[in-house]
Amino acid sequence: MTSVKPVLRLDGIVKTFPGVRALDGVSFSVMPGEVHALMGENGAGKSTLMKVLGGVHQPDSGAIHIGEEVVAIADPLEAKAKGIVFIHQELSLAEELSVAENIYLGELPRKSFGRVDWGKLAAETDAILKRLNVRFDANDRVGDLSIANQQMVEIARALTVEAKAVIFDEPTASLTDAEKVVLFDVIADLKAIGVGIIYISHRMEEIFRITDRISILRDGRYQGTVATAETTEEDVTRMMIGRNLDLSRNASHHEMGEVALEVRGLSCGDLFRDVSFEVRRGEVVGFYGLVGAGRTEIAETLFGLRVPSAGQIFLDGEEVRIQSPADAIAHGVSLVPEDRKGQGLVLGMNCRDNMTLPQVDEMKTGPFVAEGAEIAIFDEYRERLDIRTPSWRQKAGNLSGGNQQKIVIGKWLSMNPRVLIVDEPTRGIDVGSKSEIHKLLRALAAQGYAVMVISSEMPEVLHVSDRIVAMYSGRIIRSFSSEEVTEDSLIQAISGLGGDQAA
Amino acid sequence: MATITRRQVGDALAQQGILIAFAVFMVAFTLANPRFLEVDNVFSVVRSSAILGIMALGVTFVVISGNLDLSVGSMMSFSTIVVLDLHDQIGPLLAIPAMFAMTLCLGALIGFLVGYLRLNSLIVTLGMLSAIHGLTLTYSGGQNMDIADKEGTWFGVFGQGFALGIPVPILIFVALAALLGLVLARTPFGRKVYAVGGNSAAATFSGIRRGRTVFVCYLLSAACVATAGLIQASRSLGSQNTVGQGLELEVLAAVILGGASLMGGSGTIFKTVIGVLILGFIQNGLLLIGLPFYVQFVVTWIIIILAVWLDIAAKRGRLWSPIA
């Protein structure tokens, strides 16, 4: 490797935003045929660095080398022209167009009079699809493909330009295990033809499976690069967060209180059927199951976003009808939604206003919002939840994922809810903030809150729950106490009892 | 950090472009015609901007909530014609509240369609522009409306009167701007308008009733239109039934000039007032340098497009970008 020149080299990249030094002298290089992991907590600077590479942001200082050449990347088109290709977490495809049209969008092969050369288009697309070894057709409508296959279309698009470096940003976030295997094969192929790959992920297991080297960022500063074969998960984690993680299973045993929420025979069309459970004060009940098992839909029904077709809901023993989120909030049911940016926060609004939004009607001096009281609430929860932001004036969109999630949690805690429902509490949040959020959920239970946690991550469910409810295909299959649950029994339950009809 | 990069200059241009352009206009007009900045002329600009300005105050709420209101021009014609007609039939004291009630009904209808039924506001208000125009013509039988006894009524006070030496329309505009500015910036309702426009899903997930919030925005807009119609009717004590035609675009121009985003979630009453004044001064300036009044229509559109461009440029952080 020593005589080989890197395809991409970053040298002392610095980028500052008002009040934040987002990147502080980041340097590393990617060799041809190397899979190079980029790791760091949320807010460590990965996204900013990628935006610099993609021409979205210009660095304040430092140089980007592609091959021998120092380049300035003015905008995303230029990045692509220089052979830097991004495979984003959020896909950017035209759903109504065919696979072939998407791959060659803007560069369709032409015949005379500007007519599209469909024959050539199909032939070239087929060649690429064959290389990727996928099971869909050049003429398929992209909107009909699975997320995994749509990702393949994006990768195919990358192969049409002479890609020097391909950047994968959390590519496996919405893939099944089988789809991941296909993705990793494709990455191996890219590697074989000498493309440099930057692989961004929070998932250690993947990093150790497919990458050659790992570069780590913390607080915008480059922490070093290590060879994957010569390091351990623990070392990498330590470099990322600078402290050891508490990975133990939930073992706290405090007194449980009264039943705060009881659900009897609740159904909502085909989404979930005949669901019954209860949540006590001081208890965290984890809902575990595959995507589509009906967990989020239960939460949405309890929060008044869906109308149940049958069943009863009791709060503190009293039956309630919840027909809107406003009803739910009035009854003390609160929901931290799965989609933090889309549903949890108004990103353009400041942190304080976001936090007090549900109770803004109650916080008044005369006809006006009592801003002093709002700031007091914000300061209280900033301290309690350790929200890191210079001021309440900061727009919520400028915070890292972990801090954003704490704003949403604070929003509900400040209203002293009877039941707190948290859907995917740590989705897209880095390791360090994750364990903080877990501790927070445990602490809330210890303080006597009734907490319902929905999660797709088994370690998370095991770690925070006093009881675990396993769901499969809209039904509750089994409820486990934290002492009796085992990984095997849980997996069996969420794949439908015997496991013979596993999805 | 210490040196100013070209990029930062570009950002500043993109963000402050309107104010800079405005300053250039003002200097140019003053050089062309020194009368431009005289007290009399400034007063006359503000006075003639008052009707547009009052309508823009209401539309600001609608735009921040993430919607549009293209019906305000024809709704203003409606208010004007109705109040003039009722003046002679039931007297001004009853005519004014009756006209307000009828205009608010129109606002409520739009608010219901856009807020509760969640129909697209562009389609609804474009349709209402035409429908209300038809309603006005039906009501008036296609005739222009005049008050019979122009000498014997006190009704002219809203459009022609003075208090403390200041024209009443200006006082109404300033008072409403102050009131609605407080409502938007300081009350829970104002906060909800920003939330609904900024991220309607997140607002819903925070228990805010989106439909009701949008509904109230359209009611406010209709109330402002009714006030504008009252001043218009009172100013001339008679009116054509197309008096508000085209105002919807000028109003929207003023709101956007002020910097409210058409995507919703941003803008302030103060900025809208600035936008109204910019538009008023530029139109007045064009007249003073001797251009015919219809040049305004072209210039207004150029200004709108410039404003929209700069708004987007400020978001992208650069004046021109190959991608959206």
Side-chain angles (χ1 to χ4, degrees):
Chain A
M1 266 266 291
T2 44
S3 65
V4 186
K5 293 271 184 294
V7 283
L8 178 71
R9 187 156 70 84
L10 300 175
D11 195 9
I13 302 286
V14 174
K15 176 70 194 174
T16 53
F17 295 110
V20 194
R21 206 165 172 86
L23 292 175
D24 194 359
V26 174
S27 312
F28 69 92
S29 54
V30 182
M31 296 310 214
E34 177 189 35
V35 181
H36 196 120
L38 185 62
M39 297 195 75
E41 297 194 63
N42 278 8
K46 290 172 311 203
S47 316
T48 311
L49 186 62
M50 291 307 111
K51 283 179 178 161
V52 166
L53 265 180
V56 178
H57 292 321
Q58 303 303 314
D60 299 338
S61 68
I64 302 170
H65 304 255
I66 295 178
E68 305 277 296
E69 198 188 343
V70 178
V71 295
I73 302 170
D75 57 53
L77 283 185
E78 201 171 342
K80 194 178 172 191
K82 296 216 187 300
I84 301 179
V85 179
F86 289 84
I87 310 295
H88 286 288
Q89 200 174 349
E90 285 113 26
L91 303 165
S92 53
L93 296 167
E95 297 199 343
E96 294 301 328
L97 298 183
S98 73
V99 169
E101 286 166 311
N102 265 287
I103 293 175
Y104 284 96
L105 204 63
E107 297 148 313
L108 293 172
R110 297 302 171 97
K111 291 196 288 196
S112 55
F113 301 108
R115 291 170 302 154
V116 174
D117 188 343
W118 294 108
K120 192 173 172 201
L121 178 64
E124 287 185 4
T125 308
D126 282 342
I128 290 180
L129 293 183
K130 191 169 275 175
R131 241 168 91 191
L132 290 176
N133 197 16
V134 292
R135 252 173 291 158
F136 54 88
D137 213 63
N139 291 322
D140 287 348
R141 183 177 157 270
V142 162
D144 295 334
L145 300 179
S146 68
I147 298 291
N149 281 335
Q150 292 188 10
Q151 203 170 43
M152 288 299 158
V153 175
E154 286 233 325
I155 295 170
R157 201 195 251 174
L159 293 179
T160 65
V161 297
E162 217 172 295
K164 296 197 175 78
V166 179
I167 293 143
F168 289 87
D169 189 359
E170 294 275 359
T172 55
S174 41
L175 299 190
T176 64
D177 283 342
E179 290 166 338
K180 276 180 208 167
V181 172
V182 178
L183 175 73
F184 294 159
D185 283 348
V186 170
I187 290 177
D189 287 348
L190 288 172
K191 205 173 135 94
I193 58 172
V195 174
I197 289 157
I198 298 181
Y199 191 89
I200 301 173
S201 178
H202 288 305
R203 304 186 182 188
M204 288 286 186
E205 161 218 327
E206 291 169 14
I207 299 282
F208 278 87
R209 183 159 153 199
I210 66 163
T211 68
D212 300 304
R213 290 194 296 164
I214 305 172
S215 286
I216 291 133
L217 298 180
R218 183 166 83 222
D219 299 332
R221 273 186 293 273
Y222 171 65
Q223 302 296 317
T225 299
V226 292
T228 310
E230 291 160 19
T231 187
T232 62
E233 286 189 23
E234 211 188 326
D235 289 340
V236 172
T237 307
R238 202 168 291 130
M239 281 172 88
M240 278 164 56
I241 65 174
R243 57 184 184 269
N244 279 310
L245 284 174
D246 168 25
L247 284 171
S248 65
R249 181 193 281 219
N250 169 41
S252 65
H253 292 285
H254 50 261
E255 287 294 299
M256 298 283 173
E258 298 292 301
V259 174
L261 168 71
E262 187 187 351
V263 169
R264 264 189 229 157
L266 199 67
S267 301
C268 182
D270 290 339
L271 297 167
F272 57 86
R273 288 180 305 277
D274 197 20
V275 164
S276 302
F277 61 90
E278 47 180 60
V279 184
R280 294 175 174 274
R281 292 195 191 291
E283 183 181 40
V284 176
V285 179
F287 280 70
Y288 187 61
L290 296 170
V291 172
R295 298 164 301 157
T296 296
E297 289 76 9
I298 293 177
E300 288 175 350
T301 307
L302 292 175
F303 195 60
L305 291 158
R306 294 178 186 275
V307 184
S309 46
Q312 296 162 293
I313 301 167
F314 300 86
L315 287 168
D316 292 333
E318 217 169 294
E319 182 168 6
V320 292
R321 283 170 62 78
I322 298 174
Q323 289 169 313
S324 68
D327 278 356
I329 293 165
H331 282 119
V333 177
S334 38
L335 171 65
V336 176
E338 183 179 14
D339 179 1
R340 188 169 54 246
K341 291 180 179 179
Q343 303 170 331
L345 293 165
V346 184
L347 294 178
M349 210 176 220
N350 68 45
C351 293
R352 178 200 72 182
D353 293 3
N354 265 296
M355 195 180 275
T356 56
L357 199 52
Q359 49 181 328
V360 70
D361 272 325
E362 281 86 54
M363 308 191 58
K364 286 194 288 194
T365 42
F368 300 126
V369 180
E371 301 198 15
E374 285 188 290
I375 295 172
I377 285 187
F378 178 79
D379 284 342
E380 183 190 337
Y381 285 89
R382 169 159 72 173
E383 196 164 323
R384 246 179 94 181
L385 308 182
D386 190 24
I387 299 171
R388 265 154 280 165
T389 167
S391 136
W392 60 263
R393 292 183 183 81
Q394 193 68 237
K395 284 187 178 170
N398 293 343
L399 267 56
S400 72
N403 284 314
Q404 285 181 345
Q405 190 69 306
K406 289 180 190 170
I407 300 257
V408 184
I409 292 174
K411 169 162 102 174
W412 296 123
L413 289 188
S414 66
M415 297 186 69
N416 207 11
R418 284 159 144 173
V419 180
L420 180 68
I421 308 170
V422 190
D423 195 354
E424 298 292 355
T426 60
R427 169 158 296 176
I429 288 177
D430 57 90
V431 197
S433 309
K434 242 181 191 176
S435 74
E436 257 182 82
I437 300 243
H438 291 162
K439 271 190 203 134
L440 178 64
L441 292 172
R442 287 307 317 161
L444 293 177
Q447 287 161 32
Y449 288 100
V451 184
M452 211 176 129
V453 169
I454 297 170
S455 174
S456 302
E457 294 182 40
M458 193 187 289
E460 178 163 285
V461 171
L462 291 173
H463 186 55
V464 303
S465 309
D466 297 298
R467 256 178 336 109
I468 298 173
V469 172
M471 288 195 67
Y472 171 74
S473 185
R475 288 178 184 282
I476 290 180
I477 301 300
R478 219 187 129 177
S479 172
F480 301 87
S481 73
S482 66
E483 293 87 16
E484 64 178 334
V485 69
T486 65
E487 232 177 276
D488 285 342
S489 58
L490 200 49
I491 288 174
Q492 264 183 7
I494 65 147
S495 24
L497 282 175
D500 49 352
Q501 38 179 336
Chain B
M1 286 288 276
T3 55
I4 298 168
T5 64
R6 236 178 74 200
R7 181 71 188 282
Q8 284 165 329
V9 174
D11 284 357
L13 256 180
Q15 278 154 23
Q16 305 302 331
I18 286 295
L19 282 178
I20 295 168
F22 181 51
V24 172
F25 268 114
M26 293 292 273
V27 171
F29 285 142
T30 309
L31 291 177
N33 188 336
R35 243 177 46 102
F36 185 63
L37 274 186
E38 279 174 17
V39 177
D40 270 3
N41 190 53
V42 170
F43 242 41
S44 118
V45 169
V46 180
R47 182 181 184 166
S48 63
S49 297
I51 288 179
L52 178 85
I54 289 167
M55 290 161 73
L57 299 177
V59 171
T60 302
F61 280 82
V62 173
V63 168
I64 293 174
S65 81
N67 295 290
L68 287 175
D69 194 348
L70 294 177
S71 68
V72 291
S74 72
M75 200 188 284
M76 196 271 252
S77 306
F78 174 83
S79 307
T80 308
I81 293 298
V82 166
V83 77
L84 286 171
D85 177 60
L86 293 181
H87 177 279
D88 284 5
Q89 296 193 29
I90 56 178
L93 218 51
L94 289 174
I96 296 169
M99 175 275 276
F100 265 84
M102 289 166 77
T103 311
L104 285 175
C105 283
L106 294 175
L109 175 61
I110 300 174
F112 175 74
L113 294 173
V114 178
Y116 291 104
L117 297 191
R118 312 201 67 155
L119 304 185
N120 180 294
S121 67
L122 176 73
I123 305 296
V124 169
T125 59
L126 202 56
M128 285 301 276
L129 184 160
S130 175
I132 296 173
H133 182 55
L135 194 63
T136 310
L137 291 179
T138 311
Y139 183 91
S140 64
Q143 303 294 307
N144 294 334
M145 208 58 83
D146 275 291
I147 289 177
D149 178 14
K150 294 192 181 182
E151 308 300 318
T153 179
W154 53 266
F155 185 69
V157 64
F158 305 107
Q160 304 163 18
F162 283 82
L164 313 165
I166 301 170
V168 172
I170 296 185
L171 289 177
I172 296 178
F173 178 38
V174 170
L176 270 181
L179 176 70
L180 293 179
L182 282 175
V183 169
L184 185 58
R186 301 278 309 277
T187 65
F189 168 72
R191 186 72 61 76
K192 288 189 250 179
V193 174
Y194 282 109
V196 165
N199 183 345
S200 137
T204 303
F205 273 79
S206 294
I208 291 173
R209 297 180 199 271
R210 175 198 170 274
R212 182 186 292 177
T213 308
V214 171
F215 180 80
V216 175
C217 286
Y218 279 104
L219 273 190
L220 271 178
S221 179
C224 288
V225 169
T227 310
L230 175 65
I231 294 171
Q232 178 66 41
S234 160
R235 189 157 82 177
S236 47
L237 301 178
S239 172
Q240 297 184 330
N241 47 37
T242 54
V243 61
Q245 204 167 47
L247 272 184
E248 58 279 340
L249 293 182
E250 285 191 52
V251 165
L252 202 54
V255 173
I256 298 168
L257 268 179
S261 163
L262 282 182
M263 307 296 288
S266 74
T268 66
I269 289 292
F270 178 73
K271 285 177 172 177
T272 291
V273 171
I274 299 288
V276 168
L277 294 179
I278 290 176
L279 206 61
F281 275 108
I282 288 176
Q283 293 183 345
N284 170 265
L286 294 171
L287 289 177
L288 282 188
I289 61 175
L291 292 169
F293 81 96
Y294 39 78
V295 172
Q296 285 179 18
F297 299 123
V298 179
V299 172
T300 304
W301 261 106
I302 293 174
I303 293 169
I304 294 178
I305 288 168
L306 198 69
V308 172
W309 178 31
L310 290 174
D311 173 42
I312 287 172
K315 280 208 190 64
R316 289 184 190 138
R318 55 180 91 175
L319 285 173
W320 184 83
S321 164
I323 56 157

